[in-house]
Amino acid sequence: MPMAATASAPMSGNQRGAPVALRPRESSRNVTHIATEPPPPLPSGLTPWPTGTAARYVASGHWDGRTLGTLLRDWTAEYGDRLAIVAGSERLTYRQLDERADRMAAGLADLGIRAGDRVLVQLPNSGAFPVLLFALARLGAIPALTLPAHRITEIGHLARLSEAVAYVIADEYAGFDYRELAAAVQAEAPGLRHVLVAGDPGPYTALAKVDTEPRDFPDPDPADIALLLVSGGTTGVPKLIPRTHNDYGYNARASAEACELSAGTVYLACLPIAHNFPLACPGMLGTLSVGGRVVLSPSPAPGDAFPLIEAERVTHTALVPPLIPLWTDAAEWDPADISSLRVLQAGGSKLAADLARTIPDALGCSVQQVFGMAEGLLNYTRSDDDSETVALTQGRPLSDDDELRIVDGSGQDVAPGEVGELLVRGPYTLRGYYRAPEVNATAFTPDGFYCSGDLVRRLPSGHLIVEGRVKDTIDRNGESVSAEEVEAHVTAHPQVRRCAAVGLPDAGQGERICAVVVPDGPSAPTLQALRAFLLERGVAAFKLPDRVEPVTDLPLTAIGKIDKRSLVRMLEERDRA
Ligand code: OOB
């Protein structure tokens, strides 16, 4: 079957399943629109699933025809007076959340915001977020969920791409004044008619005033876009990911079931709530779907999160791996009682097996690995997986209807257990990015598989091990070296706490391998010592770093993953200085 993407060189196979690298396939992606074009987007910008496939997801009950607004209505009918949201001093029952959403929907309509309009949302974790999310759903307006760390580059781009009519911000958060950003965004996106501010509005409209007598609005089409997520990539400008009411509701409900949430669950959202992971994997929406309570933490810092865990008896939370050592360190001296914590979900980037193994003792809870993407597919380790499966794998797919392929550089399925690129389609995985025909022509196969760019291998149990990114390779002397593999070896050195391997341009070798390391202790190993250590481990000479660069901390993306782009920029600046 023709694949959308073919790489210029076959993957170097490896029977033991050690990380291997595919060559970047930028160039070859251009030669791939061969057969069928994907179905054209709907007027909303959604690339629909083929009719027969959609019918199958309806018949199986995955897509239940309820909008996010209806879901809240139904949860309120079932759990009305239970506590739904805790945010600072604000405590909302399901009924209060439902009423507030209705009132805000009417207020937004009075401002002229209509079904189908896009609204840029950039709010920290606060009570305003869930109210606004459900208010927009009631109205059929579409939130584009940006992260608090985004700035004019991202927000300006997303405002233009979405043609948003309104932008909802906090006044200030983490020392940053979003009203100033709003002025800059409005200058770039003249279609932005309203800026609504949670807190002190300055020259804009107070979100608290967007509140009036509730009235009914026609329920939007559950098969159409409920919200737009921002793609998590660390390269290029962000893309918008349309998620439908049907698919996102299923995402949240099925996740809640796989993670065994119940009405007794108290979920702490400490990652930015606009990110798919804390929002719906199972996150806030999954917790609400079973009558649990969602506690919104202003940040994932132990100083913010631990007192909330103690006060609200939090049972579940989610972190990206770079934050976990902060928590395990803090747990040693912080007096807060975090004994209510039952499950720590770790996802967003690879969790080192050694770190995974320390979590139960350090934090007194079990760990669950989550390998997910805003584009859809979610993999979870399950409560009945043995501890080594939990430490060593990134879980198995959420749905029986997730179709996974693992392919080599020419788009052929690899042999079982071999590493290849993960392709996926299924009941909650997108069929096309929002308003991005050129990207869509290469990011999807003609038969609708999303090409994730993740290198994985699959165990006979169905669990996946993430081995790196197709493009996260360093091309040194004609050899393609997996950055992830170098990182794993370098991190094994006793003087290294964390490592990111990046390629730096080099006239002779194409790229040089630079190991950027956070030392464990007073100093990092010298280049010579590190190379000797890796040779001793049996690492091939062509994978040895050409340079070691000690840093106190690795730069992180808006959600907290290691940001290699800014790392390379930082090194280039250091070299120029
Ligand atoms: C989550 O979503 P995104 O969209 O910010 O990032 C997705 C990408 C994946 O394609 C993969 O490259 C990486 O992040 N990733 C992991 C991982 N989880 C995500 N790489 C290794 N191990 C993992 N456990 O990051 C996301 C969305 C929903 C739930 C959890 C994470």
Side-chain angles (χ1 to χ4, degrees):
M1 182 184 311
M3 298 302 302
T6 51
S8 50
M11 193 181 65
S12 48
N14 176 319
Q15 292 304 327
R16 294 187 321 279
V20 291
L22 290 177
R23 281 189 190 287
R25 53 177 184 190
E26 272 314 89
S27 54
S28 53
R29 282 194 170 211
N30 300 332
V31 292
T32 53
H33 336 207
I34 342 146
T36 16
E37 290 296 321
L42 301 177
S44 66
L46 178 77
T47 305
W49 285 257
T51 318
T53 311
R56 196 153 54 79
Y57 297 152
V58 170
S60 61
H62 297 335
W63 292 3
D64 68 2
R66 290 187 290 171
T67 61
L68 296 186
T70 302
L71 285 175
L72 177 60
R73 202 71 90 205
D74 291 350
W75 300 334
T76 301
E78 207 170 338
Y79 313 116
D81 294 322
R82 293 180 63 88
L83 209 45
I85 302 287
V86 176
S89 58
E90 214 170 5
R91 302 175 83 79
L92 296 178
T93 64
Y94 282 79
R95 202 177 316 287
Q96 288 166 329
L97 176 61
D98 189 57
E99 282 166 11
R100 293 265 304 266
D102 274 340
R103 296 185 63 88
M104 189 180 278
L108 291 165
D110 287 351
L111 289 176
I113 296 172
R114 302 277 172 261
D117 284 348
R118 274 79 57 209
V119 173
L120 273 185
V121 176
Q122 189 177 28
L123 289 174
N125 294 4
S126 59
F129 184 91
V131 175
L132 176 66
L133 183 74
F134 288 111
L136 291 168
R138 292 260 155 95
L139 210 55
I142 300 170
L145 299 179
T146 69
L147 301 174
H150 287 141
R151 294 293 180 260
I152 186 66
T153 310
E154 294 89 9
I155 301 290
H157 163 72
L158 295 172
R160 290 188 300 271
L161 173 64
S162 64
E163 297 183 279
V165 299
Y167 177 32
V168 187
I169 53 174
D171 48 5
E172 285 180 17
Y173 170 72
F176 183 76
D177 190 329
Y178 288 85
R179 294 160 298 193
E180 288 171 15
L181 175 57
V185 177
Q186 268 191 318
E188 286 194 10
L192 206 61
R193 295 199 302 270
H194 303 283
V195 175
L196 309 176
V197 186
D200 174 359
Y204 302 114
T205 307
L207 186 62
K209 297 247 166 70
V210 184
D211 174 88
T212 184
E213 281 311 299
R215 53 188 193 269
D216 280 338
F217 300 98
D219 207 23
D221 179 354
D224 216 330
I225 303 176
L227 47 91
L228 296 162
L229 296 173
V230 175
S231 67
T234 55
T235 51
V237 282
K239 298 179 282 289
L240 285 170
I241 295 161
R243 302 296 302 256
T244 66
H245 295 271
N246 272 332
D247 95 69
Y248 215 53
Y250 173 62
N251 186 114
R253 280 181 282 114
S255 293
E257 192 176 329
C259 301
E260 300 170 35
L261 302 196
S262 68
T265 298
V266 183
Y267 177 85
L268 181 74
C270 52
L271 294 174
I273 190 65
H275 189 270
N276 190 33
F277 191 11
L279 183 56
C281 309
M284 179 174 90
L285 295 178
T287 303
L288 295 179
S289 77
V290 293
R293 177 190 312 178
V294 177
V295 181
L296 293 157
S297 174
S299 90
D304 283 325
F306 283 19
L308 287 171
I309 297 176
E310 175 174 280
E312 302 296 334
R313 307 301 295 158
V314 167
T315 59
H316 290 70
T317 192
L319 289 178
V320 289
L323 291 169
I324 294 176
L326 300 183
W327 279 43
T328 54
D329 286 355
E332 283 181 20
W333 51 263
D334 194 300
D337 171 11
I338 60 166
S339 61
S340 58
L341 200 58
R342 295 217 306 268
V343 180
L344 171 64
Q345 296 184 296
S349 57
K350 179 96 172 240
L351 175 68
D354 285 345
L355 180 57
R357 292 190 190 99
T358 65
I359 291 169
D361 272 351
L363 297 174
C365 63
S366 60
V367 59
Q368 177 185 42
Q369 293 220 36
V370 187
F371 163 39
M373 48 200 79
E375 285 81 359
L377 177 71
L378 299 171
N379 302 275
Y380 294 101
T381 56
R382 308 300 208 272
S383 67
D384 57 358
D385 287 336
D386 61 70
S387 58
E388 279 306 273
T389 303
V390 172
L392 291 167
T393 81
Q394 281 65 57
R396 61 181 172 80
L398 172 63
S399 174
D400 287 343
D401 282 319
D402 285 323
E403 299 172 67
L404 273 62
R405 296 186 60 204
I406 301 173
V407 301
D408 65 17
S410 52
Q412 302 301 312
D413 293 294
V414 298
E418 291 279 304
V419 178
E421 184 184 359
L422 173 64
L423 312 189
V424 58
R425 59 182 188 188
Y428 58 97
T429 296
L430 87 174
R431 292 296 181 123
Y433 289 101
Y434 183 76
R435 296 182 171 173
E438 282 170 20
V439 177
N440 289 340
T442 54
F444 296 85
T445 66
D447 55 352
F449 281 86
Y450 166 60
C451 305
S452 72
D454 289 318
L455 290 173
V456 303
R457 65 192 164 94
R458 183 163 40 189
L459 303 180
S461 61
H463 290 78
L464 300 178
I465 297 179
V466 179
E467 300 283 10
R469 295 276 306 163
V470 172
K471 285 196 217 150
D472 196 7
T473 55
I474 302 166
D475 289 304
R476 183 180 183 277
N477 276 336
E479 297 282 356
S480 191
V481 179
S482 154
E484 180 117 357
E485 185 184 1
V486 175
E487 288 158 8
H489 288 303
V490 173
T491 312
H493 191 285
Q495 280 168 266
V496 175
R497 190 177 176 111
R498 268 179 293 148
C499 167
V502 293
L504 296 177
D506 182 272
Q509 302 184 104
E511 284 186 311
R512 271 174 306 143
I513 302 176
C514 179
V516 184
V517 300
V518 179
D520 198 355
S523 64
T526 62
L527 178 63
Q528 202 187 14
L530 188 61
R531 288 171 66 101
F533 172 80
L534 298 186
L535 282 174
E536 182 72 17
R537 281 172 70 85
V539 177
F542 69 88
K543 296 176 185 170
L544 299 185
D546 301 291
R547 174 171 168 185
V548 177
E549 194 67 31
V551 291
T552 46
D553 251 318
L554 295 170
L556 301 178
T557 65
I559 186 71
K561 308 182 193 196
I562 292 168
D563 185 350
K564 291 202 168 170
R565 257 200 318 170
S566 56
L567 204 52
V568 170
R569 265 202 311 270
M570 188 189 87
L571 292 173
E572 286 170 349
E573 275 161 26
R574 265 194 197 182
D575 289 347
R576 271 197 299 274

